[in-house]
Amino acid sequence: NKARDFALLAVGVYNNLLFKLKTYGYIVNICIAFTALFQAILLKRGIDIFEKDKEGNFIEIDGEKKYISLKECCNLYWNESSTPERENLNLLIGLRNRIEHKDLPHLDLLVAGYCLSSISNFEDILIQEFGQEYALMAHLAIALQLTKSSIAQQDAALKAFQKENYKFIREYIK
């Protein structure tokens, strides 16, 4: 349920006309959603989701057991194999880490496809692991888009993306 709620929150942030940092909000929330989803799957499979030190003792933060990272969840779920779904999520994890303290408003249109793929991948895994009754589609409306303004925004985004301050994002996406 936590995973579903954060996935819906991610989509809600991305589709909200009032938010200017759509990609930021989406990426943060979809990473939380995937973390919760993988934790639920791993628990269902009887796999421990808490981080341990070299001696096998639980690592604690503020008196609580530390959960394994999303990257480690991916390793356990996909057994170290590479899939398009995993690569998409790895890209978003890396973007989350790189944009966390930067203001890059034109990023939205440049990574929209990756965001769309990630929510589709999320739902596929959710349904595969927990059943159709957990599908997100029943809670989502079809987004309406204005093509003319989108073309102008895409041009502005591409021009901004070519500027020097976007170099680190260009390098990472490549």
Side-chain angles (χ1 to χ4, degrees):
N1 289 326
K2 177 183 176 183
R4 288 179 69 231
D5 285 348
F6 272 97
L8 292 170
L9 181 60
V11 172
V13 167
Y14 196 86
N15 289 337
N16 191 320
L17 296 174
L18 302 177
F19 292 140
K20 293 182 180 172
L21 300 174
K22 296 172 184 309
T23 300
Y24 295 83
Y26 178 84
I27 290 174
V28 167
N29 286 301
I30 200 66
C31 285
I32 294 170
F34 267 107
T35 302
L37 176 60
F38 288 139
Q39 288 174 348
I41 293 167
L42 295 172
L43 284 172
K44 182 176 85 166
R45 294 178 180 176
I47 298 171
D48 193 4
I49 60 170
F50 296 104
E51 196 169 324
K52 295 180 181 175
D53 62 20
K54 291 177 183 176
E55 288 81 38
N57 301 313
F58 290 111
I59 297 173
E60 291 189 6
I61 296 179
D62 296 328
E64 300 285 329
K65 291 180 187 175
K66 180 181 179 186
Y67 289 92
I68 59 175
S69 69
L70 179 52
K71 284 266 195 190
E72 183 60 24
C73 287
C74 290
N75 290 338
L76 292 169
Y77 181 76
W78 279 296
N79 296 318
E80 303 290 339
S81 63
S82 179
T83 68
E85 297 83 2
R86 183 178 186 167
E87 294 308 315
N88 175 263
L89 185 54
N90 282 337
L91 177 84
L92 294 182
I93 292 168
L95 281 174
R96 177 199 62 192
N97 297 342
R98 283 165 175 77
I99 66 175
E100 189 173 7
H101 300 291
K102 297 193 184 303
D103 182 23
L104 303 169
H106 296 291
L107 192 61
D108 293 344
L109 292 170
L110 298 169
V111 298
Y114 298 110
C115 293
L116 181 59
S117 292
S118 70
I119 195 66
S120 178
N121 295 339
F122 177 90
E123 183 165 52
D124 288 347
I125 295 169
L126 179 68
I127 292 169
Q128 174 187 331
E129 295 287 343
F130 294 103
Q132 186 67 39
E133 64 272 16
Y134 288 96
L136 300 175
M137 189 48 94
H139 302 284
L140 299 174
I142 296 173
L144 301 177
Q145 299 176 1
L146 301 173
T147 306
K148 290 181 183 177
S149 64
S150 178
I151 291 170
Q153 289 174 337
Q154 287 175 355
D155 286 344
L158 288 173
K159 287 177 185 174
F161 194 62
Q162 293 169 354
K163 291 183 180 175
E164 187 63 27
N165 59 338
Y166 281 81
K167 183 178 180 181
F168 74 100
I169 292 292
R170 280 195 315 268
E171 301 286 321
Y172 177 72
I173 290 175
K174 285 180 185 175

